Structure formats: structure tokens, C-alpha cells
Amino acid sequence: MPEIKTQDFTAASTAAILDPKLRRALDRVAEGFHVARLDRIEEVTQDVWDGWKDQAREIKVHTIENLDYYLELLDKNVTAAGGQLHFAKDADEANEIVAHIVRTRNIKIVTKSKSMVSEELGLNPVLEALGVEVWETDLGEYIIQLAEETPSHLVAPALHKSKEDVAALFTEKLGIPYDEDIYHMAATARTILRDKFMEADLGISGANFVVAETGTLVIITNEGNGRLCTSAPRVHIGITGMEKVIPSMQDLSAFLRLLPRSATGQRITSYVSMTTGPRRSDDEDGPEEFHLILVDNGRSKMLADPALREALYCIRCGACLNICPVYSRIGGHAYGWVYPGPIGAVVSPMLVGLPKAKELPQASSLCGACREVCPVNIDIPKMLLDLRKKTAESPDSSLRSAPEIERVLARLYAKLMSSPKLLKMGVKFGRFAQKLERMTPVFSPLTTDGKWIRNAHIPILSRWTKSRDLPTLPKQTFHELWEKELSPDDS
Amino acid sequence: MTANAKITADLFITCVVDQLYPDVGVSVVRVLRRLGVTVGFPTDQTCCGQPVYNTGYSQQARTLAKRVLEQFKDSEYVVVPSGSCAATIRVFYLEIFDDDTELLAEAKALAAKTYEFSEFLVNVLKVDDAADCGAGHEGTVTYHPSCHLLRELGVKSEPQKLLQSVPGLEQKELEGAEICCGFGGTFSVKFPHISEGMVTDKVANIQASGADTLVSCDMSCLMNIGGALNRQESAIKVRHLAQILDPESE
């Protein structure tokens, strides 16, 4: 698996939020994908859209509840079509399956179409260590590979890079003159990759869906690179998560309506490619071998947990990233692992282990925008809350997300709020603390202007007053006002 | 309004209003009374438990939620001047007590009679003209739909409907209105840098709206936005919807 940096979330997000270039790039996504998505919903009407969502969710619920059945059916049909299905329990096993094929088939050059699961496995370094040339052929992935970076978005991996960044990168890595014309840059990549498509012995693709009743691998792309990867080389390996299986071709239509519209605001992508087995004897082209690797790598932990199971319904459209007010300020890399944004804050902790990624579920205001845009109605805020519960009070200290003081404060808060008498005393103490300033300005815990606390010199409050003022406690609480003047007994 | 004379509503005033914004509570009482409602206030109430629940401390949240169940057991209606505290009672209590049949039944009964302030006015009292509460407001106003009100309770049109009917009030459009202000309870102090980024954008949009007053149905969001506005020396005022509807509010 690639390096896990989820522990550094606070530092990484602090740096990211100060990067104006990143912010501009992220804003462009909001403008582009999000607005286009809304247009697509408007043209089919919200009611119809909601119906599509409900239908897709129903399919996902049914499939995940019967996953063992559909995986067996898929296995049977992949085999019947002349392909081979491999099941990998973790990243090492999946990488070894690919490595074995590479070694035994004398593979020299690999072309890859976009696959987040291969990112999750850290497959490229494994292939390179075998002495194989690996070429990412999705334009965004190609840029990221040249820059030796990782994707920062589920569907737009190089989103954090401006065209100027890419022009400079091409000059540096490809030795071509600086040219920031997007069409020229795309043409450069196309020329380089076109040769590789023809030379490659192995094509590796991801899968947006795999259809159990036919054993078909489905990928949707806009660049056509996917189809070249899956048809030109003599071996094709598809790699995806085991949750990507769907029962039937009819079910596929439900998702083909939702995925492009949710992801990029397109009615349909330029290419929808379906691959069933290797070439048949009367086919003119196509690979001699077809392998499908289904990866668990932590997914069965999600399956076993009723509170987190619905994270497996995710079709990786990225709509929750585009709408998220946190993601749209810090970008994908700050999340520290392959899957960013709201869904990443659920999936990453489950795949890399909660102790390492326990901060991610905390980094949300629980505004619910992600749930609203999700094409399969995944209740992400509820799962974030569940992970917070799992980390707040765990007997295992490696799971606890906050310093001990937070648990003490939570208990104190409940005590204070359980006793109106204690609360009254607390308020009096607060008012006294505000007065302290006038008596002993040097030792006062607060700097106020009478109406507002401008600066709190107390640990947690100071985090608030760094950028915002806080109202001072008024002379009377509502309780006191009620008793004095509002209660019907007095009127 | 005699039509509502038989309606009794108990206030769950929320700890934020109780401790920091008692004037909002006073306006809520005045507006309801002008509409003919008999207003009650169980005085043992404190907090709904949302701050601890959202931070993951379910046991502590449960302790506080049980108090609320107890205090409002006999209420006819419970009115809450906060979308997020009303959502805690209506939505999150059902999660908190989902392992206890008896308490879950109580939570469901409470949820069924609990309303956020604006939806109580529009959907229960059937107020379709803010002039019914004697409201009048000279000035320009923009409205921030708070996230829990909008997405947990699905209350979208009610506050707008009330604002639109306030004599003298001119509404201004707020760009990015449905984007979170960055409060998020303990989120605002756990990740102050992200929270600050969010409220900075919210404030910029409010300033660009040209309104002299920002209205919302949640004082915690307004504490966040108002605190940022004040830090920037902005003259824009923040008001709870009840204060706009209450002719006696300053």
C-alpha cells in the first residue's frame, strides 16, 4: 500500500488552506463539475433524479447483502467467458497476482487506464521493481505520474495542478519547449502514449462496475485510453474492489445514468467500454488473456460493520468532494491517503486502520451536503458520527482521537448540564471571570471590549478567538429573565 | 389571534440562547404570545446534548437527552428556536435510544411534537403573513439557511416565507447560501483553520449581498458568523428570525 500520511492531517490541511493556487484550482471544480451536475438534475427534474437514486441504492443494498452469491455468480461467468477471476485479501496478495502474471508472461511494457484501487494497492512501484515500464494513460494520471505525485481527486486526479504547472512539468520531464496551450499539451501526451499503446504487452484497467450475470467489466472514460488499454495488449488485467459487482446488465443502466451526471455533469461519458473475457477465436483483435482481480483489502471489515456497510455502496463519482466545504478548501492530498473528501474520511480509516486515520472523521462540520448530493444516498455524516463514537470512548487508547482532556471535559459538560444548580453557579463564575479583567487586567483570562471577547487566553477558547470574536455573557440568562419578567405567574 | 388560543407550547430555549442570547428567547416568547399561544418554560432544562453527541460521546449525550425526554413528556408542543437543537431532538435522539424500546418510544413521541420555531409558525400556527405578529422591519436582510435546519429537518421555505411577508423588509440574495458557515460545534475549535476558511467565505458573501442584517434560525451559526463579522469591524447585524418578527425587539 502507498505511504499512509493520514496522521498528519492537521499539519497538511493547515498548509493546504494557505495555498492560493490550490484554492483557485478547487474553485474551478466547484464551478465546473458541481454546476454541470445541477444542470443535469434540472433537465431530468429533481423527482426523476430522486427516483433514480432510490433505485440505484436499492440495487446496492441488495447486492451488498448478497455479496457472496453475486461474487460466485461473477466467478462462474468470468470463467465461462474464458477469463480468470482472482480474489485478493489484501494489497500484497493483489500485487503478487499481477507480479506473477508479469513474470510468467514475460511482460515488458504496461499501459494503465485510471484505477483508484491500483493506487490503493501501490501497484506501480511493485511493477517498476520488476523492471517493467509502467505508463499511466489517463491524461490526469499521466501528469501525476510524471510529477511523482498521487491523485488529489477521485475523478480528476491532477485537479490541483494548473495548466502552467503542467506546462512546466512537461518542459522539465519531457524536454519540450514551454507551451501552456492545453490542446498542445494533450497532443504531446497523446503522441507519446499512442506508441506505448501499440508496444504494451499488458493493459491494466480499473472497473467502474463488474456485472455478475455476464462476467463483464465496465469502465467509463472520456479519453478512449481505457479501451486501448483493454484491447490492444495481449494480456488484460482488470483490478477493482469486491464491492463493485452488480447483478445484471439491466442494473448497469441505473448506474450509467447516475455516475457521469454526478461525477462531471455529463449525460454520458465519451466511452462506455464493456469487456467480457479475452478475444474469441473469430475476433480480429483483443487480448489473449483476461484476468479480473477483486480486492478485499479491508472491505470485509466494512461489510461486517452494519454502521459502515453503506460505504461499500460508493460508486466513486466524487460529487461529495466537489460539494464539501472542507475538501474545497484543503484539497485531496491533505487527507493523507488515496481516498479524500467526505467518503474518504470514512473509507480511509477502514482501509488503513482507524488508529492511523482517526482524525479524518473529526474534520467535518457535519453539514450534510455530501449526503444530499450522493447518487446512492449514502449517509456519510452518520458514518462520520459513528467513527467519532468509536474513537471518542474506546478502551483502546490507540483508537482514541482526542487528548485525555476532551474526555474529561465531555464528562464535566454532561455533569454541569445535568444540574441546573451547577449550571447557575457556572454562569456566575463566568461572569466573575469577565469582571476579573477590569480588576486585574494582566492576569485576566479574557480580553474583552465589554460586549465581545476579543482574545481568550484559555486553551480551547483561544482557538476560537484567533479569528473570531465571542459574545460576552449577558447580565441575565433566559432562565433569569423568565423568572423575573416573562413567566405567566408574573404577568 | 384567538385561533391559537387553545395551543400551548413549551419552549426548549437551547443553552446557547439561554446563556448568550437571552433576548432571542424573549422575542420568541413575545412572538408566540402575540399569535395567541400559551407559552410554557420547564425551568429545569439545560442542553439537548448535541455538543457531546457530535463529538462522539454518546453516553454523555444520552444522559442529557433523557433529561429532555423527562422535562417535555407532558408538553403539547415543544418549540425550539434552533434548527440544529430541534434536529438533535427529532433525528439524533432516535439514534441515541435505538437500543432501548421504551426510551425510543418516548423519543419518537417527543420528536412528533417538536418543532423548530419557523416551522411551528408556518406549519402549526399557519401564519402566512408576518404582519400577524405585528412584525415590521425597515432595512435589507439576507438569510443564511443553517445546515441542520435545511438538511436534517428539511425546513427550507418556512423562514423565507415569513421574511418575505415582513412589512418594510427588503430581502437580498446570498451567494452560496446553502454552504456551511464553518461552525460545526467542536469542529470550530478542533480545526480552527478550516472553520476560519469557511466563515471567511461566508462573511465575504454576506458583505457582497448588500444586506444590513443577516438572519438565521440558529444562534450558534450566527455566533460564528457574527463573531467573524465583528472581528472585521463590519456594521452588518446578525439577528434570529424571532427578533425580526418581534416588533419590540431593538
Side-chain angles (χ1 to χ4, degrees):
Chain A
M1 293 213 289
E3 197 187 346
I4 298 163
K5 292 185 260 180
T6 43
Q7 308 94 309
D8 306 329
F9 177 80
T10 297
S13 60
T14 305
I17 212 160
L18 296 172
D19 181 350
K21 227 171 63 182
L22 177 64
R23 184 61 204 274
R24 275 198 299 277
L26 290 164
D27 280 347
R28 274 201 306 272
V29 175
E31 285 303 309
F33 290 168
H34 175 58
V35 172
R37 185 188 144 274
L38 289 179
D39 288 346
R40 294 293 83 76
I41 295 174
E42 204 186 327
E43 74 192 8
V44 300
T45 75
Q46 187 72 47
D47 280 352
V48 169
W49 181 252
D50 290 344
W52 288 358
K53 281 167 47 163
D54 292 344
Q55 187 196 351
R57 183 181 173 91
E58 219 171 278
I59 296 168
K60 279 290 180 186
V61 172
H62 169 81
T63 315
I64 297 297
E65 294 306 316
N66 300 284
L67 193 58
D68 49 350
Y69 170 78
Y70 286 110
L71 289 177
E72 270 177 44
L73 185 63
L74 177 71
D75 189 10
K76 200 182 107 200
N77 289 321
V78 168
T79 310
Q84 202 180 336
L85 187 114
H86 309 259
F87 199 81
K89 73 172 191 306
D90 57 21
D92 287 345
E93 233 179 76
N95 289 338
E96 183 44 41
I97 293 166
V98 180
H100 178 78
I101 294 169
V102 164
R103 282 191 297 259
T104 50
R105 273 70 165 182
N106 192 28
I107 303 293
K108 300 285 181 224
I109 298 176
V110 177
T111 48
K112 277 183 75 199
S113 81
K114 193 174 171 336
S115 156
M116 288 306 283
V117 175
S118 79
E119 298 286 342
E120 172 190 330
L121 304 175
L123 179 62
N124 288 7
V126 171
L127 292 174
E128 282 155 10
L130 291 169
V132 172
E133 251 182 60
V134 184
W135 294 85
E136 291 288 350
T137 64
D138 171 271
L139 184 55
E141 289 283 350
Y142 176 69
I143 292 166
I144 293 301
Q145 187 186 27
L146 277 183
E148 297 173 48
E149 292 178 10
T150 54
S152 68
H153 188 281
L154 294 175
V155 299
L159 162 132
H160 57 286
K161 293 216 168 297
S162 65
K163 64 176 194 242
E164 293 81 10
D165 289 340
V166 178
L169 180 74
F170 277 19
T171 301
E172 184 201 333
K173 300 281 181 177
L174 306 177
I176 58 170
Y178 183 90
D179 180 355
E180 52 185 61
D181 182 290
I182 291 174
Y183 292 97
H184 293 170
M185 288 191 277
T188 301
R190 189 174 184 271
T191 307
I192 292 169
L193 293 173
R194 183 62 47 157
D195 289 342
K196 297 300 163 187
F197 285 126
M198 296 306 134
E199 291 166 23
D201 323 282
L202 168 63
I204 295 178
S205 74
N208 294 103
F209 307 97
V210 280
V211 181
E213 72 169 0
T214 54
T216 304
L217 175 152
V218 183
I219 51 177
I220 67 170
T221 74
N222 281 312
E223 298 169 21
N225 63 310
R227 196 165 289 178
L228 280 164
C229 285
T230 57
S231 59
R234 59 189 159 88
V235 183
H236 171 206
I237 303 177
I239 306 177
T240 196
M242 65 179 192
E243 80 282 15
K244 291 290 178 69
V245 64
I246 54 171
S248 67
M249 280 292 171
Q250 195 171 352
D251 294 327
L252 177 64
S253 65
F255 293 102
L256 288 183
R257 290 192 295 223
L258 286 169
L259 180 50
R261 286 180 168 90
S262 297
T264 52
Q266 292 172 282
R267 292 181 192 93
I268 189 121
T269 43
S270 310
Y271 296 85
V272 175
S273 303
M274 304 189 196
T275 305
T276 310
R279 71 192 291 178
R280 313 294 192 274
S281 52
D282 54 348
D283 283 348
E284 278 178 27
D285 51 20
E288 295 153 20
E289 288 182 53
F290 172 79
H291 299 267
L292 176 60
I293 305 176
L294 290 186
V295 179
D296 182 329
N297 204 30
R299 285 163 175 81
S300 46
K301 269 190 284 174
M302 278 191 259
L303 186 63
D305 188 335
L308 299 170
R309 189 172 299 161
E310 59 175 303
L312 294 173
Y313 306 163
C314 175
I315 57 172
R316 305 280 188 263
C317 69
C320 64
L321 279 58
N322 303 338
I323 195 79
C324 177
V326 175
Y327 176 88
S328 64
R329 271 159 197 83
I330 64 174
H333 288 153
Y335 288 83
W337 203 59
V338 180
Y339 300 106
I343 192 67
V346 176
V347 170
S348 292
M350 294 313 290
L351 299 191
V352 306
L354 194 48
K356 281 185 191 143
K358 58 195 172 189
E359 218 179 349
L360 298 184
Q362 316 290 329
S364 162
S365 66
L366 302 178
C367 77
C370 48
R371 180 182 52 203
E372 197 173 67
V373 300
C374 178
V376 282
N377 296 325
I378 299 177
D379 195 343
I380 298 176
K382 193 172 177 181
M383 289 192 289
L384 293 173
L385 255 175
D386 178 75
L387 288 166
R388 289 183 188 187
K389 286 178 204 163
K390 288 180 166 115
T391 57
E393 292 275 39
S394 171
D396 174 359
S397 67
S398 75
L399 274 177
R400 289 204 293 270
S401 58
E404 195 54 29
I405 181 76
E406 187 187 279
R407 300 174 79 203
V408 175
L409 286 175
R411 281 174 174 70
L412 262 177
Y413 184 82
K415 274 258 152 43
L416 184 71
M417 289 297 176
S418 296
S419 158
K421 226 186 227 168
L422 262 180
L423 179 60
K424 229 179 202 170
M425 284 166 59
V427 171
K428 283 194 176 136
F429 178 78
R431 289 186 194 141
F432 172 71
Q434 282 177 190
K435 276 188 197 149
L436 259 184
E437 191 194 9
R438 259 170 279 155
M439 298 188 281
T440 59
V442 181
F443 298 106
S444 167
L446 307 166
T447 309
T448 77
D449 60 9
K451 231 180 134 192
W452 296 90
I453 300 169
R454 308 300 298 253
N455 198 354
H457 319 288
I458 308 167
I460 294 165
L461 279 189
S462 65
R463 291 174 151 234
W464 177 282
T465 58
K466 197 170 158 276
S467 59
R468 288 158 287 205
D469 295 333
L470 193 63
T472 52
L473 292 172
K475 289 194 188 77
Q476 289 176 304
T477 61
F478 181 80
H479 270 89
E480 289 163 328
L481 283 171
W482 176 267
E483 270 157 37
K484 275 187 201 151
E485 32 186 285
L486 291 170
S487 161
D489 309 337
D490 299 332
S491 55
Chain B
M1 287 230 335
T2 46
N4 300 319
K6 284 188 188 138
I7 290 182
T8 302
D10 284 337
L11 294 181
F12 180 71
I13 207 67
T14 80
C15 55
V16 171
V17 168
D18 183 34
Q19 315 289 317
L20 294 170
Y21 302 101
D23 294 351
V24 171
V26 173
S27 287
V28 169
V29 174
R30 285 195 199 124
V31 170
L32 291 174
R33 284 188 177 157
R34 273 178 180 263
L35 292 166
V37 175
T38 306
V39 181
F41 179 67
T43 52
D44 260 0
Q45 63 178 277
T46 56
C47 164
C48 65
Q50 178 174 210
V52 268
Y53 187 65
N54 276 356
T55 317
Y57 296 93
S58 347
Q59 269 317 308
Q60 282 69 30
R62 199 182 170 98
T63 306
L64 297 177
K66 272 190 195 161
R67 297 188 77 248
V68 177
L69 291 186
E70 182 58 34
Q71 286 151 9
F72 293 92
K73 207 168 47 191
D74 302 321
S75 302
E76 183 190 353
Y77 289 104
V78 181
V79 174
V80 190
S82 156
S84 76
C85 304
T88 301
I89 295 173
R90 278 227 311 247
V91 181
F92 301 134
Y93 279 11
L94 306 185
E95 293 172 14
I96 290 175
F97 297 116
D98 70 354
D99 58 349
D100 186 321
T101 333
E102 209 171 299
L103 289 172
L104 184 62
E106 281 185 39
K108 280 184 179 162
L110 177 61
K113 62 186 182 186
T114 298
Y115 293 84
E116 181 276 329
F117 174 74
S118 73
E119 63 171 340
F120 185 70
L121 259 58
V122 174
N123 301 336
V124 178
L125 302 182
K126 309 287 179 201
V127 176
D128 51 19
D129 188 348
D132 291 354
C133 359
H137 183 92
E138 290 305 321
T140 49
V141 157
T142 196
Y143 172 69
H144 168 66
S146 46
C147 300
H148 280 165
L149 180 68
L150 188 66
R151 301 195 185 92
E152 296 293 346
L153 298 181
V155 173
K156 188 169 180 168
S157 63
E158 290 85 344
Q160 298 273 18
K161 191 173 169 185
L162 291 168
L163 280 174
Q164 274 155 15
S165 64
V166 172
L169 182 147
E170 187 195 338
Q171 250 191 296
K172 297 279 190 183
E173 203 178 322
L174 178 61
E175 175 88 22
E178 292 186 2
I179 301 173
C180 177
C181 73
F183 175 63
T186 50
F187 167 80
S188 62
V189 287
K190 285 191 169 196
F191 302 95
H193 56 294
I194 303 173
S195 175
E196 179 190 341
M198 288 159 73
V199 77
T200 302
D201 289 355
K202 180 59 74 179
V203 162
N205 284 330
I206 291 164
Q207 283 168 331
S209 76
D212 59 38
T213 303
L214 172 73
V215 175
S216 188
C217 295
D218 272 273
M219 286 319 292
S220 45
C221 311
L222 288 179
M223 174 171 80
N224 183 43
I225 302 169
L229 280 166
N230 197 63
R231 178 61 59 91
Q232 295 181 20
E233 316 277 334
S234 166
I236 298 172
K237 292 179 289 233
V238 301
R239 291 288 181 270
H240 190 278
L241 176 67
Q243 293 174 296
I244 299 292
L245 299 182
D246 171 21
E248 293 171 69
S249 170
E250 44 111 21

